[in-house]
Amino acid sequence: MPNEFTPAPIAVSDSEDRDYLLKRADQHRRQGERCDPVSRSLHARFQRLYEDRAAALPPESD
């Protein structure tokens, strides 16, 4: 619809993004521990993807 309001994107720091990605990776790790082997492999894949995305962010400048 042409008259829909689109909110401005919210800026998220690299540190917040990294924390979120690592939190999601841990959630997939824990979910995989409770699943059958097929689901476990999917959760392991998602865990690696989130960890890889977190590792690709620029290093923290503290």
Side-chain angles (χ1 to χ4, degrees):
M1 300 188 124
N3 293 334
E4 284 186 31
F5 173 73
T6 304
I10 298 171
V12 177
S13 70
D14 288 339
S15 155
E16 290 173 313
D17 201 18
R18 182 178 296 102
D19 289 345
Y20 170 78
L21 293 168
L22 293 175
K23 176 182 160 188
R24 292 293 291 143
D26 187 55
Q27 288 172 338
H28 279 288
R29 180 192 57 75
R30 286 185 279 120
Q31 285 177 318
E33 291 172 351
R34 300 185 307 252
C35 293
D36 60 86
V38 173
S39 296
R40 185 174 298 128
S41 68
L42 290 172
H43 283 293
R45 177 68 177 137
F46 280 118
Q47 177 186 352
R48 282 190 303 276
L49 289 171
Y50 279 113
E51 289 170 344
D52 289 348
R53 285 184 60 193
L57 290 172
E60 294 184 38
S61 58
D62 291 335

